[in-house]
């Protein structure tokens, strides 16, 4: 099935939460904070692919989500970043913002890329909030949400065949008989 226009919702990954933990060692009574940072959420990127010629892949998949970042760990371990999601579109795809109607990108050459939605930043662990006056912070930051956007994709087509001729010789009739 050929499809040259589609509306799609993109949801970038949420950042992982920071960790709230404390060092506990045998001979260290007050070990201090050791919470790690959360991982960054995954981004969503459109990439022009010369092997595609239709947007029909997005007809059944109207919402695309990137992976969330992982939570931070104890001993100041940073959480894993979410995987970026790369969406392949045909060369000649125009990407519009659904709400503003503004043209954001024109992916006409193979390999052109457009970052459509950014993933959220991971939250900081309680080790970041330690100071000389606050030695045992009992809190950590939450991860930020990723961007949630609507896009309108349009495939720009170039005609392969042209019909020329004098007026009233049946050009329109020929096209109506050949096409469905």
């Amino acid at each position: 099935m050929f499809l040259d226009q589609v509306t799609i919702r993109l949801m970038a990954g949420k950042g992982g939460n920071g960790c709230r933990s404390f060092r506990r060692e045998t001979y260290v009574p007050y070990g201090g904070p050791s919470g790690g940072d959360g991982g960054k959420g995954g981004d969503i990127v459109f990439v022009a692919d010369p092997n595609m010629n239709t947007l029909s892949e997005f007809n059944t998949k109207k919402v695309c989500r990137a992976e969330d970042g992982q939570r931070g760990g104890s001993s100041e371990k940073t959480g894993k970043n979410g995987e970026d999601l790369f969406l392949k579109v045909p060369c000649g795809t125009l990407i519009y913002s659904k709400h503003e109607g503004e043209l954001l990108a024109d992916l006409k050459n193979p390999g052109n890329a457009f970052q459509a939605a950014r993933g959220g930043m991971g939250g900081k662990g309680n080790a970041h909030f330690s100071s000389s006056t606050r030695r045992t912070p009992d809190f950590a930051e939450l991860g930020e949400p990723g961007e949630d956007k609507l896009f309108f994709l349009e495939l720009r087509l170039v005609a392969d065949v042209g019909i020329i001729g004098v007026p009233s010789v049946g050009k329109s009739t020929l096209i109506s008989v050949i096409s469905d």
Side-chain angles (χ1 to χ4, degrees):
M1 181 174 124
F2 182 76
L3 187 67
D4 63 344
Q5 293 181 346
V6 70
T7 299
I8 187 171
R9 180 180 178 190
L10 302 181
M11 299 173 72
K14 176 189 176 300
N17 296 336
C19 179
R20 184 185 66 85
S21 72
F22 298 94
R23 284 192 347 234
R24 296 292 179 236
E25 298 173 13
T26 308
Y27 298 107
V28 182
Y30 303 106
S34 67
D37 300 342
K40 180 186 176 302
D43 299 332
I44 300 179
V45 180
F46 286 112
V47 179
D49 185 6
N51 298 324
M52 293 183 70
N53 58 5
T54 181
L55 295 171
S56 61
E57 178 182 327
F58 301 110
N59 192 29
T60 57
K61 191 174 183 182
K62 296 285 186 179
V63 178
C64 295
R65 295 175 188 261
E67 188 178 81
D68 292 340
Q70 298 294 315
R71 181 180 185 273
S74 60
S75 301
E76 298 189 30
K77 293 178 186 160
T78 302
K80 181 181 173 222
N81 291 340
E83 291 288 323
D84 293 342
L85 179 62
F86 293 95
L87 299 175
K88 294 181 180 179
V89 294
C91 293
T93 301
L94 301 172
I95 301 173
Y96 294 94
S97 171
K98 181 69 175 169
H99 296 297
E100 291 93 29
E102 156 187 7
L103 177 65
L104 301 174
D106 181 6
L107 306 178
K108 54 185 161 184
N109 298 323
N112 283 3
F114 171 67
Q115 184 177 12
R118 283 187 197 277
M121 295 301 296
K124 295 188 185 301
N126 68 339
H128 282 279
F129 302 107
S130 172
S131 67
S132 62
T133 57
R134 182 188 298 155
R135 296 189 181 209
T136 57
D138 196 23
F139 58 90
E141 283 184 344
L142 298 175
E144 295 178 1
E147 292 181 338
D148 185 355
K149 295 182 176 180
L150 279 173
F151 290 97
F152 176 72
L153 306 179
E154 182 180 16
L155 182 58
R156 183 176 45 203
L157 300 174
V158 178
D160 293 332
V161 177
I163 298 177
I164 55 174
V166 294
S168 300
V169 294
K171 297 183 293 291
S172 298
T173 306
L174 176 66
I175 291 174
S176 67
V177 170
I178 294 173
S179 63
D180 292 333

